[in-house]
Each structure stands twice: as structure tokens, then as C-alpha cells.
Amino acid sequence: MTTPLIMVLNGPNLNLLGQREPEIYGTGTLDELETLCAETAEGLGVGVEFRQSNLEGELISWVHEARGRAGGLIINPAAYSHTSIALMDALLTLDIPIIEVHLSNIHRREAFRQHSYISNAADGVICGLGFAGYRLALIALSDILEEDQ
Ligand code: CA2
């Protein structure tokens, strides 16, 4: 039996984590978030690939790459959540479980953040729990993948 792979994709400006707006996004850095995901995945016995891009097209290409490679996908699309029909369409072509994660509670913020195109393509959505949201998404996907075996 091969170890299932979970891809974790992060959208624009998340490379700035820990450097700006700590009151909204916390003080942890993207590298620390990657370490948390790697340690969580190791404990769950799943593989993880963690990536960040500021480019919409690159995120879409990574979604295409997930087909046939990944057993599940976690995505924090950042501001593309609220704008990108193209990223939503790419995610809708996948037949693996998808969890959308936001560090902040987008429903308690500006009106323009309260709608996500990506939620149309996600099996689950976690928001407002900071880094813990990624850990919980990995646990949920690992449970789903185990049930599917
Ligand atoms: O809460 C989230 O995770 C968001 O996806 C973050 C996005 C925002 O556009 C979404 O509405 C909600 C913004 C990511 C920008 O990240 C920064 C991190 C540190 C400093 C500045 C921006």
C-alpha cells in the first residue's frame, strides 16, 4: 500500500505571514506553518507537499498536477477565494477531497471576504482557527482517505 499524498496550496501574500498584520494572521511564519503540516502529516502517516504562490496561473497548474498524484488537497486561496472563477473551475475538475482553509474568520471581516468561489468546489471549509485549521484539515483528510480504502 502506498502512502497517500496531500497537497497543501497557499495563495498570494501568504509568504508575508509573521511579518505584517499579526493581529489578523498571527505571528507564525509560512516556514513554521510548513513545519507544522510536515509534523502533523508524519504523525498521521500521510505524505504532504506544501507550496505557496503569488500567481493565479501557477496555483491552477498545481491543481492540475494534483490529479493522479494527490489523494487530497488543502487550499488557502487567500484573496483568490473572493475573485477566481478560474481556480474554482480547476478545483471542480478534481475527484479528490478538497478542504479550503482560512486563517482568519472571513465571515467576521469585510463583506467582500464573506463570499468564496472556492467553497463551491470544497468538500469542507475551515476558517478562523489560525494554523490549527491546517492541522485539522490534514486530520480530516487522513480520516476520509482511510475510510475510502
Ligand atoms: O484568512 C485567510 O487565510 C485569508 O485567506 C488570507 C488572505 C485574505 O485575502 C483572505 O480574505 C483570508 C490574505 C493573505 C495575506 O496574508 C498576509 C499575511 C501577512 C501579512 C499580510 C498579508
Side-chain angles (χ1 to χ4, degrees), residues 38-81:
E39 287 173 357
T40 304
E42 192 180 354
L44 292 166
V46 297
V48 71
E49 249 179 49
F50 187 96
R51 302 181 188 180
Q52 187 273 334
S53 178
N54 293 321
L55 305 177
E56 186 175 17
E58 187 162 42
L59 290 163
I60 291 169
S61 293
W62 289 345
V63 170
H64 295 169
E65 195 188 318
R67 183 197 323 286
R69 274 197 74 215
L73 188 135
I74 295 168
I75 186 161
N76 182 345
Y80 290 140
S81 316

Side-chain angles (χ1 to χ4, degrees), residues 10-22 24-26 28 75-82 100-106 109-110 112-115 126-128 130 134:
N10 294 282
N13 299 310
L14 285 164
N15 54 308
L16 298 176
L17 274 178
Q19 298 173 38
R20 303 258 192 291
E21 302 189 81
I24 301 175
Y25 300 118
I75 186 161
N76 182 345
Y80 290 140
S81 316
H82 320 302
E100 176 184 358
V101 173
H102 296 281
L103 295 162
S104 63
N105 179 355
I106 57 173
R109 300 186 62 191
E110 303 96 321
F112 63 83
R113 294 188 202 275
Q114 293 177 19
H115 173 263
I126 298 173
C127 74
Y134 286 70

